[in-house]
């Protein structure tokens, strides 16, 4: 008869989860005991990946969840392990990423006795602490019905909108044998929220009568089925498509109908088409109304004759473009219905007759701001570094950390890979990409590129050794401006120690943990290194010295944010 830990691991495997991320500990021996060296043929289908720290494991699970379009799993011992993972759970919650935190706590009867790593004597309730950032936070101290708690957690993980979940078992309960069966949910894909059919017909009718239509995809529309449907509709009916910041890559940016990114550090082509010379109808599909996605809450996004918001998430409805026509509907089901009506419309006459001119006009607007001229008196410009990485490593999934480098990557990296761009958008957690890329690489089994900074490397750079340990194919490009770049720009008049960082040799650090390290001081050196490693499997760390004073390509965003602040101040709010 299987024990509780084996039922859970087998259930995860049945749900399509291939790996979980962990740091070993005594209280989670129940999970570890399923991997005996003498019995490899009896191991669960889901494999363990050992991280350097629980925060890194949480980032890996988050990256895996985003790239695999299922939930990611981190296993940690309760108390210190869970405490180390909390930041990763908060970040996942902000971006609505379904990360499952499984843990083991002190055995039944040990609590409140000052046992090692037991937090109950302190009065700290970890489940209560995690409740605000999870859809379910449960602790199990009884072996009578242990799988019921697992089934409840599994149901919560697939609810929409997705959020993290926390489930902890007493260490002895994990070893308890059970006959209870685990729930089978299938997956996170498929129809989720369906609204009023009359509203659907009305919205589709407005779209199909329009002379010109453009679509802005958001993160709720980022699953594989929606991406394929949207690409087919774009190609058959000539529909230009842009993406919000958190959906970058949901429509490949090398596609001739791509408008690029609308939002923070977005592309001129998308910003111009959606706000300055909009088509007759703009469809906002699955868009989250965040500050970055809306380009600083730019009211001009509502300037088209018809603005329609379709989303499966009620929390977001009507907030991206206030005053828009709104529809609560599952994004995939909406596109399938729209496609069926477009076929009928096409049989009766031309569909979107003005879209050809719309695409021609969009094509005349550059996708990127011009690259600054190379200046031998200054360090390598970050924009030029991103474009060079993009030129030599175009087929890699790009995972980007938070910092000034994020702005340059959002703007200048052109995604050629389906769903080929991932970043933390709501919290902007520094150092997240070191672990997240490992999760992405397990989910996609594709080579990855991480664009990160020296400040981020100080936080979570140790996870490079995890990538080496598991033979991942990842290039870590560390943009070193010897500062917390975004903070430096806002604190030039303050004490240097508030934002400036000491110099470090990240190439030597990489070599110390088993990776290949390269220090890059110029464009020529970067070009030489990229040619050398582009087809070489393994973990490579590029320590790239870049210009600290390079301005980020976010002028429109900054202007919009300033206008918003002035309007707010003027209203007395």
């Amino acid at each position: 008869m299987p024990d509780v830990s084996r039922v859970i691991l087998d259930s995860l495997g049945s749900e399509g989860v291939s790996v979980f991320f962990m740091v070993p500990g005594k209280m989670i021996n129940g999970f570890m005991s399923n991997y005996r060296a003498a019995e490899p043929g009896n191991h669960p289908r889901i494999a363990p990946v050992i991280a350097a720290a629980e925060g890194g494991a949480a980032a890996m699970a988050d990256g895996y969840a985003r790239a695999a379009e299922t939930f990611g799993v981190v296993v940690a011992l309760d108390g210190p392990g869970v405490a180390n993972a909390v930041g990763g759970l908060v970040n996942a919650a902000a971006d609505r990423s379904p990360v499952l935190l499984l843990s083991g706590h002190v055995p039944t009867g040990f609590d409140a006795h000052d046992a090692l790593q037991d937090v109950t004597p302190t009065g700290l309730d970890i489940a209560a602490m995690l409740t605000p950032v999870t859809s379910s936070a449960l602790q199990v101290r009884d072996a009578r019905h242990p799988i019921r708690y697992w089934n409840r957690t599994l149901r919560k993980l697939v609810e929409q909108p997705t959020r993290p979940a926390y489930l902890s078992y007493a260490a002895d309960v994990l070893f308890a044998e059970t006959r209870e069966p685990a729930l089978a949910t299938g997956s996170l894909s498929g129809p989720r929220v369906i609204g009023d059919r009359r509203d659907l017909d009305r919205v589709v009718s407005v779209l199909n009568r329009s002379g010109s239509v453009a679509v802005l995809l958001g993160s709720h529309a980022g699953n594989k089925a929606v991406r394929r449907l949207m690409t087919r509709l774009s190609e058959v009916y000539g529909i230009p498509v842009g993406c919000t910041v958190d959906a970058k890559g949901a429509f490949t940016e090398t596609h001739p109908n791509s408008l690029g990114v609308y939002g923070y550090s977005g592309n001129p082509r998308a910003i111009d088409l959606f706000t300055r010379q909009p088509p007759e109808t703009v469809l906002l599909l699955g868009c989250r109304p965040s500050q970055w996605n809306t380009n600083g809450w730019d009211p001009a996004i509502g300037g088209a004759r018809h603005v329609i918001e379709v989303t499966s998430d009620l929390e977001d409805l009507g907030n991206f473009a206030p005053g828009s026509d709104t529809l609560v509907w599952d994004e995939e089901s909406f596109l399938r219905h729209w496609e069926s009506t477009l076929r009928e419309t096409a049989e009766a006459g031309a569909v979107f007759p003005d879209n050809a001119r719309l695409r021609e006009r969009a094509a005349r607007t550059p996708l990127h701001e011009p690259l600054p001229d190379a200046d031998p008196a200054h360090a390598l410009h970050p924009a030029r570094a991103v474009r060079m990485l993009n030129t030599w490593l175009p087929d890699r999934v790009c995972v980007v950390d938070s910092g000034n480098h994020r702005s340059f990557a959002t703007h200048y990296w052109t995604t050629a890979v389906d769903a080929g761009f991932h970043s933390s958008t709501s919290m902007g957690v520094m150092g997240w990409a070191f672990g997240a890329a490992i999760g992405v690489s397990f989910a996609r089994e594709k080579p990855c590129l991480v664009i990160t900074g020296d400040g981020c490397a100080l936080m979570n750079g140790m996870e490079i050794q995890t990538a080496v340990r598991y033979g991942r194919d990842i290039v870590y490009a560390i943009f070193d401006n010897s500062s917390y770049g975004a903070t430096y720009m806002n604190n030039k008049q303050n004490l240097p120690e508030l934002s400036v960082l000491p110099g470090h040799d990240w190439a030597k650090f990489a070599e110390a943990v088993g990776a290949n390290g390269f220090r890059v001081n110029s464009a020529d050196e970067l070009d030489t290194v990229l040619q050398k490693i582009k087809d070489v499997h393994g973990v490579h760390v590029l320590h790239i010295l870049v210009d600290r004073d390079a301005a980020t390509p976010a002028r429109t965003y900054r202007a919009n944010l300033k206008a918003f602040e002035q309007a707010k101040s003027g209203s007395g709010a």
Side-chain angles (χ1 to χ4, degrees), residues 273-564:
L273 186 136
F274 286 112
T275 62
R276 295 170 187 145
Q277 299 183 67
E280 181 180 346
T281 301
V282 167
L283 171 61
L284 306 173
L285 187 64
C287 293
R288 291 190 63 190
S290 70
Q291 177 177 327
W292 278 10
N293 285 343
T294 59
N295 212 15
W297 303 292
D298 188 351
I301 191 69
R305 180 180 177 186
H306 305 290
V307 180
I308 299 171
E309 284 189 69
V310 178
T311 181
S312 57
D313 196 333
L314 280 168
E315 294 180 22
D316 296 335
L317 198 66
N319 293 321
F320 197 100
S324 61
D325 196 356
T326 59
L327 174 67
V328 183
W329 208 274
D330 172 72
E331 290 85 3
E332 179 185 346
S333 297
F334 172 81
L335 287 182
R336 292 195 184 282
H337 178 73
W338 187 26
E339 183 178 43
S340 68
T341 63
L342 279 172
R343 291 194 194 104
E344 297 172 3
T345 304
E347 291 175 359
V351 176
F352 313 138
D354 298 330
N355 263 21
R357 286 193 295 272
L358 184 70
R359 293 194 309 275
E360 290 171 4
R361 176 169 59 78
R364 289 195 293 270
T365 303
L367 188 62
H368 304 116
E369 298 285 351
L371 277 178
D373 294 332
D375 186 349
H378 291 83
L380 179 61
H381 197 285
R384 190 170 297 278
V386 170
R387 291 300 296 272
M388 292 179 69
L389 289 164
N390 204 176
T391 298
W392 286 107
L393 308 173
D395 297 328
R396 289 181 177 251
V397 177
C398 188
V399 185
V400 182
D401 244 325
S402 293
N404 273 3
H405 48 270
R406 161 64 184 268
S407 178
F408 294 105
T410 298
H411 188 91
Y412 289 103
W413 180 270
T414 303
T415 55
V417 178
D418 176 47
F421 191 94
H422 297 279
S423 60
S424 165
T425 55
S426 298
M427 284 290 163
V429 174
M430 292 178 63
W432 170 86
F434 282 93
I438 296 171
V440 170
S441 75
F442 275 104
R444 298 285 295 273
E445 290 299 341
K446 290 183 70 70
C448 294
L449 165 70
V450 171
I451 296 178
T452 184
D454 51 328
C456 296
L458 286 171
M459 296 186 181
N460 285 308
M462 188 54 72
E463 295 304 344
I464 293 172
Q465 68 84 30
T466 307
V468 173
R469 181 178 181 180
Y470 287 92
R472 298 292 91 192
D473 192 357
I474 302 176
V475 173
Y476 289 94
I478 301 176
F479 284 35
D480 183 358
N481 56 12
S482 297
S483 68
Y484 295 115
T487 302
Y488 165 78
M489 289 295 191
N490 294 316
N491 287 276
K492 290 185 177 182
Q493 306 306 316
N494 295 339
L495 291 174
E497 66 194 71
L498 295 173
S499 56
V500 175
L501 293 171
H504 298 289
D505 192 328
W506 294 108
K508 289 183 178 178
F509 173 82
E511 292 170 357
V513 297
N516 301 309
F518 303 89
R519 185 176 173 89
V520 175
N521 292 282
S522 67
D524 288 342
E525 289 183 10
L526 179 57
D527 188 74
T528 299
V529 170
L530 289 172
Q531 288 187 64
K532 180 177 180 179
I533 68 169
K534 65 182 181 68
D535 297 318
V536 180
H537 181 92
V539 180
H540 309 286
V541 176
L542 312 184
H543 179 186
I544 307 172
L545 279 74
V546 297
D547 184 0
R548 178 191 295 165
D549 294 302
T552 56
R555 289 178 300 171
T556 303
Y557 168 83
R558 288 191 290 268
N560 289 343
L561 191 59
K562 183 176 182 180
F564 176 83

Side-chain angles (χ1 to χ4, degrees), residues 210-235:
S210 300
S212 57
V213 170
V215 176
L216 183 62
L217 290 180
S219 58
H220 298 313
N223 69 65
K224 184 182 294 185
V226 172
R227 296 195 306 269
R228 288 178 175 175
L229 272 167
M230 193 65 252
T231 300
R232 186 165 70 226
L233 284 168
S234 173
E235 291 173 350

Side-chain angles (χ1 to χ4, degrees), residues 17-18 36 128 137 151 254 282 356 380 387 389 471:
V17 181
S18 61
R36 297 181 179 89
N151 289 342
T254 52
V282 167
L380 179 61
R387 291 300 296 272
L389 289 164

Side-chain angles (χ1 to χ4, degrees), residues 113-158:
H113 282 70
D114 283 318
L116 180 66
Q117 297 176 330
D118 177 24
V119 298
T120 54
T122 69
L124 178 63
D125 185 338
I126 288 184
M129 180 179 72
L130 291 177
T131 295
V133 296
T134 59
S135 59
S136 176
L138 301 173
Q139 291 185 321
V140 185
R141 293 186 171 88
D142 194 307
R144 282 177 290 185
H145 299 291
I147 303 304
R148 290 188 182 183
Y149 294 92
W150 167 244
N151 289 342
R152 175 181 171 82
T153 301
L154 201 53
R155 291 189 189 97
K156 287 293 184 180
L157 276 168
V158 299

